[in-house]
Coordinates of all heavy atoms in Angstrom, one line a residue:
F1 N 57.0 30.2 -80.4 CA 57.0 28.8 -80.7 C 58.4 28.4 -81.3 O 58.9 29.0 -82.2 CB 55.9 28.5 -81.7 CG 56.0 27.0 -82.2 CD1 55.6 26.0 -81.4 CD2 56.4 26.7 -83.5 CE1 55.6 24.7 -81.8 CE2 56.4 25.4 -83.9 CZ 56.0 24.4 -83.1
D2 N 59.0 27.3 -80.8 CA 60.3 26.8 -81.3 C 60.0 25.5 -82.0 O 59.6 24.5 -81.3 CB 61.2 26.6 -80.1 CG 62.6 26.1 -80.5 OD1 62.8 25.9 -81.8 OD2 63.4 25.9 -79.7
P3 N 60.1 25.4 -83.3 CA 59.8 24.2 -84.1 C 60.7 23.0 -83.6 O 60.2 21.9 -83.7 CB 60.2 24.6 -85.5 CG 60.1 26.1 -85.5 CD 60.5 26.5 -84.2
T4 N 61.9 23.3 -83.1 CA 62.7 22.1 -82.7 C 62.2 21.4 -81.5 O 62.7 20.4 -81.1 CB 64.2 22.6 -82.5 OG1 64.2 23.6 -81.4 CG2 64.7 23.3 -83.7
E5 N 61.2 22.1 -80.8 CA 60.7 21.4 -79.6 C 59.7 20.3 -80.0 O 59.3 19.5 -79.2 CB 60.0 22.4 -78.7 CG 60.9 23.4 -78.1 CD 60.2 24.4 -77.2 OE1 59.0 24.4 -77.2 OE2 60.9 25.2 -76.5
V6 N 59.3 20.3 -81.3 CA 58.4 19.3 -81.7 C 59.2 18.0 -82.0 O 60.1 18.1 -82.8 CB 57.6 19.7 -83.0 CG1 56.7 18.6 -83.5 CG2 56.8 21.0 -82.7
E7 N 58.8 16.9 -81.5 CA 59.5 15.7 -81.7 C 59.4 15.2 -83.1 O 58.3 15.2 -83.7 CB 59.0 14.6 -80.7 CG 59.8 13.3 -80.8 CD 59.2 12.2 -79.9 OE1 58.3 12.5 -79.1 OE2 59.7 11.1 -80.0
R8 N 60.5 14.8 -83.7 CA 60.4 14.2 -85.1 C 60.1 12.7 -85.0 O 60.7 12.0 -84.2 CB 61.7 14.5 -85.8 CG 61.9 15.9 -86.2 CD 63.1 16.1 -87.1 NE 64.4 15.9 -86.5 CZ 65.5 16.6 -86.8 NH1 65.5 17.6 -87.7 NH2 66.7 16.4 -86.2
E9 N 59.3 12.3 -86.0 CA 59.1 10.9 -86.2 C 60.4 10.3 -86.7 O 61.2 10.9 -87.4 CB 58.0 10.6 -87.2 CG 57.7 9.2 -87.4 CD 56.9 8.6 -86.3 OE1 56.3 9.3 -85.5 OE2 56.9 7.3 -86.2
S10 N 60.7 9.0 -86.3 CA 62.0 8.4 -86.8 C 61.7 7.0 -87.3 O 60.7 6.4 -86.9 CB 63.0 8.3 -85.6 OG 62.5 7.5 -84.6
D11 N 62.6 6.5 -88.1 CA 62.5 5.2 -88.7 C 63.9 4.6 -88.7 O 64.8 5.3 -89.0 CB 61.9 5.2 -90.1 CG 61.4 3.9 -90.5 OD1 61.3 2.9 -89.7 OD2 61.0 3.7 -91.7
Q12 N 64.0 3.3 -88.4 CA 65.3 2.6 -88.3 C 65.4 1.7 -89.5 O 64.5 0.9 -89.8 CB 65.4 1.8 -87.1 CG 66.7 1.0 -86.9 CD 67.9 1.9 -86.8 OE1 67.9 2.8 -85.9 NE2 69.0 1.6 -87.5
V13 N 66.5 1.8 -90.3 CA 66.7 1.0 -91.5 C 68.1 0.4 -91.4 O 68.9 0.9 -90.6 CB 66.5 1.8 -92.8 CG1 65.1 2.3 -92.9 CG2 67.5 2.9 -92.9
D14 N 68.4 -0.5 -92.3 CA 69.8 -1.0 -92.3 C 70.7 0.0 -93.0 O 71.8 0.3 -92.5 CB 69.8 -2.4 -93.0 CG 69.1 -3.4 -92.2 OD1 69.7 -3.9 -91.2 OD2 68.0 -3.8 -92.5
V15 N 70.4 0.4 -94.2 CA 71.2 1.3 -95.0 C 70.3 2.5 -95.5 O 69.3 2.2 -96.1 CB 71.9 0.6 -96.2 CG1 72.7 1.7 -96.9 CG2 72.8 -0.5 -95.7
C16 N 70.8 3.7 -95.2 CA 70.1 4.9 -95.8 C 71.0 5.5 -96.9 O 72.2 5.7 -96.6 CB 69.8 5.9 -94.7 SG 69.0 7.4 -95.3
I17 N 70.4 5.7 -98.0 CA 71.2 6.3 -99.1 C 70.6 7.7 -99.4 O 69.4 7.8 -99.6 CB 71.1 5.4 -100.4 CG1 71.7 4.0 -100.1 CG2 71.9 6.1 -101.6 CD1 71.5 3.0 -101.2
V18 N 71.5 8.7 -99.4 CA 71.0 10.1 -99.7 C 71.4 10.4 -101.1 O 72.6 10.7 -101.4 CB 71.7 11.1 -98.7 CG1 71.2 12.5 -99.0 CG2 71.3 10.7 -97.3
G19 N 70.4 10.5 -102.0 CA 70.6 10.8 -103.4 C 70.3 9.7 -104.3 O 70.7 8.6 -104.2
G20 N 69.4 10.0 -105.3 CA 68.9 9.0 -106.2 C 69.4 9.1 -107.6 O 68.7 9.0 -108.6
G21 N 70.8 9.3 -107.8 CA 71.4 9.3 -109.1 C 71.9 7.9 -109.4 O 71.6 6.9 -108.7
P22 N 72.8 7.7 -110.4 CA 73.3 6.4 -110.7 C 74.1 5.7 -109.6 O 73.9 4.5 -109.4 CB 74.3 6.7 -111.9 CG 73.7 8.0 -112.5 CD 73.2 8.8 -111.3
A23 N 74.8 6.5 -108.8 CA 75.6 5.9 -107.7 C 74.7 5.4 -106.6 O 74.8 4.2 -106.2 CB 76.6 6.9 -107.1
G24 N 73.8 6.2 -106.2 CA 72.9 5.8 -105.1 C 72.0 4.6 -105.5 O 71.8 3.7 -104.7
L25 N 71.4 4.7 -106.7 CA 70.6 3.6 -107.1 C 71.4 2.3 -107.3 O 70.9 1.2 -107.1 CB 69.8 4.0 -108.4 CG 68.7 5.0 -108.2 CD1 68.3 5.6 -109.5 CD2 67.5 4.3 -107.5
S26 N 72.6 2.4 -107.8 CA 73.4 1.2 -108.0 C 73.7 0.6 -106.7 O 73.7 -0.7 -106.5 CB 74.7 1.5 -108.8 OG 74.4 2.0 -110.1
A27 N 74.0 1.4 -105.7 CA 74.3 0.9 -104.3 C 73.0 0.2 -103.8 O 73.1 -0.9 -103.2 CB 74.7 2.0 -103.4
A28 N 71.9 0.8 -104.0 CA 70.6 0.2 -103.5 C 70.3 -1.1 -104.1 O 70.0 -2.1 -103.4 CB 69.5 1.2 -103.7
I29 N 70.5 -1.2 -105.4 CA 70.2 -2.4 -106.2 C 71.1 -3.5 -105.7 O 70.7 -4.6 -105.4 CB 70.3 -2.2 -107.7 CG1 69.1 -1.3 -108.2 CG2 70.4 -3.5 -108.4 CD1 69.3 -0.8 -109.6
R30 N 72.4 -3.2 -105.6 CA 73.4 -4.2 -105.2 C 73.2 -4.7 -103.8 O 73.3 -5.9 -103.5 CB 74.8 -3.6 -105.3 CG 75.9 -4.7 -105.1 CD 75.9 -5.7 -106.2 NE 76.8 -6.8 -106.0 CZ 76.5 -8.1 -106.0 NH1 75.3 -8.5 -106.3 NH2 77.4 -9.0 -105.8
L31 N 72.8 -3.8 -102.9 CA 72.5 -4.2 -101.5 C 71.3 -5.2 -101.5 O 71.4 -6.2 -100.8 CB 72.2 -3.0 -100.7 CG 73.4 -2.2 -100.1 CD1 73.0 -0.8 -99.7 CD2 74.1 -2.9 -99.0
K32 N 70.3 -4.9 -102.2 CA 69.1 -5.8 -102.2 C 69.4 -7.1 -102.9 O 68.9 -8.1 -102.5 CB 67.9 -5.1 -102.8 CG 67.3 -4.0 -101.8 CD 66.9 -4.5 -100.5 CE 65.6 -5.4 -100.6 NZ 65.2 -5.9 -99.2
Q33 N 70.2 -7.0 -103.9 CA 70.6 -8.3 -104.6 C 71.3 -9.2 -103.6 O 71.0 -10.4 -103.5 CB 71.5 -8.0 -105.8 CG 70.9 -7.4 -107.0 CD 71.9 -7.0 -108.1 OE1 73.1 -6.8 -107.8 NE2 71.4 -6.9 -109.3
L34 N 72.3 -8.6 -102.9 CA 73.0 -9.4 -101.9 C 72.1 -9.9 -100.8 O 72.2 -11.1 -100.4 CB 74.2 -8.6 -101.3 CG 75.3 -8.2 -102.2 CD1 76.2 -7.1 -101.6 CD2 76.1 -9.5 -102.6
A35 N 71.2 -9.1 -100.3 CA 70.3 -9.5 -99.2 C 69.4 -10.5 -99.6 O 69.1 -11.5 -98.9 CB 69.6 -8.2 -98.7
N36 N 68.8 -10.3 -100.8 CA 67.8 -11.3 -101.3 C 68.5 -12.7 -101.6 O 67.9 -13.7 -101.3 CB 67.1 -10.8 -102.5 CG 66.2 -9.6 -102.2 OD1 65.9 -9.3 -101.1 ND2 65.8 -8.9 -103.3
D37 N 69.7 -12.6 -102.1 CA 70.4 -13.9 -102.4 C 70.7 -14.6 -101.1 O 70.8 -15.8 -101.1 CB 71.7 -13.6 -103.2 CG 71.5 -13.2 -104.6 OD1 70.3 -13.4 -105.1 OD2 72.4 -12.7 -105.2
A38 N 70.9 -13.8 -100.0 CA 71.2 -14.4 -98.7 C 69.9 -14.8 -98.0 O 70.0 -15.3 -96.8 CB 72.0 -13.5 -97.9
G39 N 68.8 -14.6 -98.6 CA 67.5 -15.0 -97.9 C 67.1 -14.0 -96.9 O 66.2 -14.3 -96.1
N40 N 67.7 -12.8 -96.9 CA 67.4 -11.8 -95.9 C 66.5 -10.7 -96.5 O 66.9 -9.6 -96.8 CB 68.7 -11.2 -95.3 CG 68.4 -10.2 -94.2 OD1 67.3 -10.0 -93.7 ND2 69.5 -9.6 -93.6
E41 N 65.2 -11.0 -96.8 CA 64.3 -10.1 -97.4 C 63.9 -8.9 -96.6 O 63.4 -7.9 -97.0 CB 63.1 -10.8 -98.0 CG 63.5 -11.9 -99.1 CD 62.2 -12.5 -99.6 OE1 61.1 -12.2 -99.2 OE2 62.4 -13.3 -100.6
D42 N 64.2 -9.1 -95.2 CA 63.8 -8.0 -94.3 C 64.9 -6.9 -94.2 O 64.8 -5.9 -93.5 CB 63.6 -8.6 -92.9 CG 62.3 -9.4 -92.9 OD1 61.4 -9.1 -93.7 OD2 62.3 -10.4 -92.1
F43 N 66.0 -7.1 -94.9 CA 67.1 -6.1 -94.9 C 66.6 -4.9 -95.6 O 66.2 -4.9 -96.8 CB 68.3 -6.7 -95.7 CG 69.5 -5.9 -95.6 CD1 70.4 -6.1 -94.6 CD2 69.8 -4.9 -96.6 CE1 71.6 -5.3 -94.6 CE2 71.0 -4.2 -96.6 CZ 71.9 -4.4 -95.6
R44 N 66.6 -3.8 -94.8 CA 65.9 -2.5 -95.3 C 66.9 -1.6 -95.9 O 67.9 -1.2 -95.3 CB 65.2 -1.9 -94.2 CG 64.0 -2.7 -93.6 CD 63.2 -1.8 -92.7 NE 62.6 -0.6 -93.4 CZ 62.1 0.4 -92.7 NH1 62.1 0.4 -91.4 NH2 61.6 1.4 -93.4
V45 N 66.7 -1.2 -97.2 CA 67.5 -0.2 -97.9 C 66.6 0.9 -98.3 O 65.6 0.7 -99.0 CB 68.2 -0.8 -99.2 CG1 69.0 0.2 -99.9 CG2 69.0 -2.0 -98.8
L46 N 66.9 2.1 -97.8 CA 66.0 3.2 -98.0 C 66.8 4.3 -98.7 O 67.9 4.6 -98.4 CB 65.5 3.8 -96.6 CG 64.6 5.0 -96.7 CD1 63.6 4.9 -95.6 CD2 65.4 6.3 -96.4
L47 N 66.2 4.9 -99.7 CA 66.8 5.9 -100.6 C 66.0 7.2 -100.6 O 64.8 7.2 -100.9 CB 67.0 5.4 -102.0 CG 67.8 6.3 -102.9 CD1 68.6 5.5 -103.9 CD2 66.9 7.3 -103.7

């Protein structure tokens, strides 16, 4: 059995952030602030 033959589920987002420390969370917060202020609540930020 080869695990890589199993298809992986995928999800599409606008911005993906790898790491939940001060930098990653600050980037996430600022992105959603900008998106929400622009009325783009569907702008997806995933951490």
Side-chain angles (χ1 to χ4, degrees):
F1 175 74
D2 182 1
T4 62
E5 293 180 354
V6 179
E7 183 182 357
R8 287 190 291 213
E9 182 74 18
S10 66
D11 195 9
Q12 178 69 46
V13 300
D14 291 287
V15 179
C16 177
I17 301 171
V18 181
L25 285 165
S26 295
I29 289 171
R30 186 67 186 127
L31 279 163
K32 287 301 290 184
Q33 287 175 339
L34 292 168
N36 293 347
D37 288 347
N40 187 1
E41 295 184 359
D42 293 331
F43 188 87
R44 295 189 62 194
V45 179
L46 180 143
L47 185 147

